[in-house]
Amino acid sequence: MSADVLAVAEHRRGDLRDVSLELLTAGRELADETGGDLHAAVISGDVEAFGDRLNREGVDAVHTVAHGEEFNHDVYAQAVTTLIDEFDPAYVLAPNSVNGFDYVPAVADRLSIPLVTDVTDLAVDGSELTATREFHGGKTEGTVEIAGDRAALTIRAGGWPAASGNGDATVEPFEVEIDESAVRSTVTGFEEVGGGDVDITDADVLVSIGRGIREEDNLDLIFDLADAMDATVSASQPIIDNGWLPADHQVGQSGKVVTPEVYIAIGISGAVQHVAGMKGAETIVAINDDPSAPIFDIADYGIVDDLFEVVPALTEEFAG
């Protein structure tokens, strides 16, 4: 028996977030395995514009819910519950984000359905869904088997490529009668917390450094290379823990998920916690003097050599 999938998009401050298009890819793959349709939904904001962007190849229907401008827990919980009641999807997907953490558990609780968060892979065998996720702060990876007719899942950003191609689905308004008496929260504005002046998630090229740099003073080598390449500097957790770079520069399970065109990992061993945050990069270059470093397992190009010899040579090449 076929099973449909509902993917609930996310937007913030007037922009549809990239993870929404990744969500469509995950949803399409899951729908293909179940023989069902993929429904996309967007709630609040400029739903017509968002709906058009969600109309990608592989999407069977797009539903727009016009109510308010920004995310609101109570509105989303009511709207998504109503969408589920109307279209009866087997699986509901949402981004593994602050917003997703906010309302998806409430929806799962209302409908008494299983919830799995931070999912990195999905597979269906008969009537059983298997979700892959990390445990113990990213130290191990395991699977969660879900038997039943329905489940809610939050999807990690960067785990799937963004859906592309123009779709031929109909973008239709979906009317939801929101119980205003049950809307007990209001968004009054946004404040960036600890964001600094760098957003590594927007960078096309990242030069990332790990404990191989040895000392804080050696970071100048990395910044010289980044300047020569017009790149942004990021880091693994040990650099942040030492206080050598601000926390908003951290890539990994406990930092940010990045998907640049080029990711240059310098002196980074490739622990699973770090790889979780950068494995979606288009091209990965690793520089490490340990030929057995795990980072080489996912690198497209690898340089086994002393970074203190390689980095200045690269800087000279790009600066010239």
Side-chain angles (χ1 to χ4, degrees), residues 134-266:
E134 292 176 354
F135 296 88
H136 307 299
K139 293 182 174 62
T140 61
E141 184 179 76
T143 57
V144 179
E145 296 179 350
I146 306 167
D149 297 331
R150 184 176 286 167
L153 308 113
T154 62
I155 304 300
R156 179 186 293 183
W160 281 265
S164 60
N166 295 323
D168 55 7
T170 302
V171 181
E172 293 185 343
F174 182 75
E175 298 297 329
V176 178
E177 292 187 11
I178 300 296
D179 180 3
E180 297 294 345
S181 66
V183 179
R184 296 182 291 271
S185 58
T186 303
V187 177
T188 59
F190 291 88
E191 181 177 348
E192 298 290 347
V193 179
D197 57 358
V198 172
D199 186 355
I200 60 175
T201 63
D202 285 339
D204 293 328
V205 181
L206 281 174
V207 175
S208 202
I209 187 63
R211 67 173 75 247
I213 198 67
R214 300 178 189 168
E215 298 178 1
E216 184 176 8
D217 289 345
N218 292 330
L219 284 174
D220 288 341
L221 286 173
I222 307 304
F223 280 100
D224 288 344
L225 175 59
D227 288 342
M229 297 182 64
D230 193 23
T232 300
V233 174
S234 58
S236 61
Q237 185 171 346
I239 301 300
I240 308 304
D241 290 345
N242 287 340
W244 296 352
L245 287 175
D248 57 302
H249 287 63
Q250 182 178 338
V251 174
Q253 175 72 20
S254 55
K256 294 183 178 181
V257 175
V258 297
T259 55
E261 294 177 9
V262 179
Y263 188 88
I264 303 178
I266 303 174

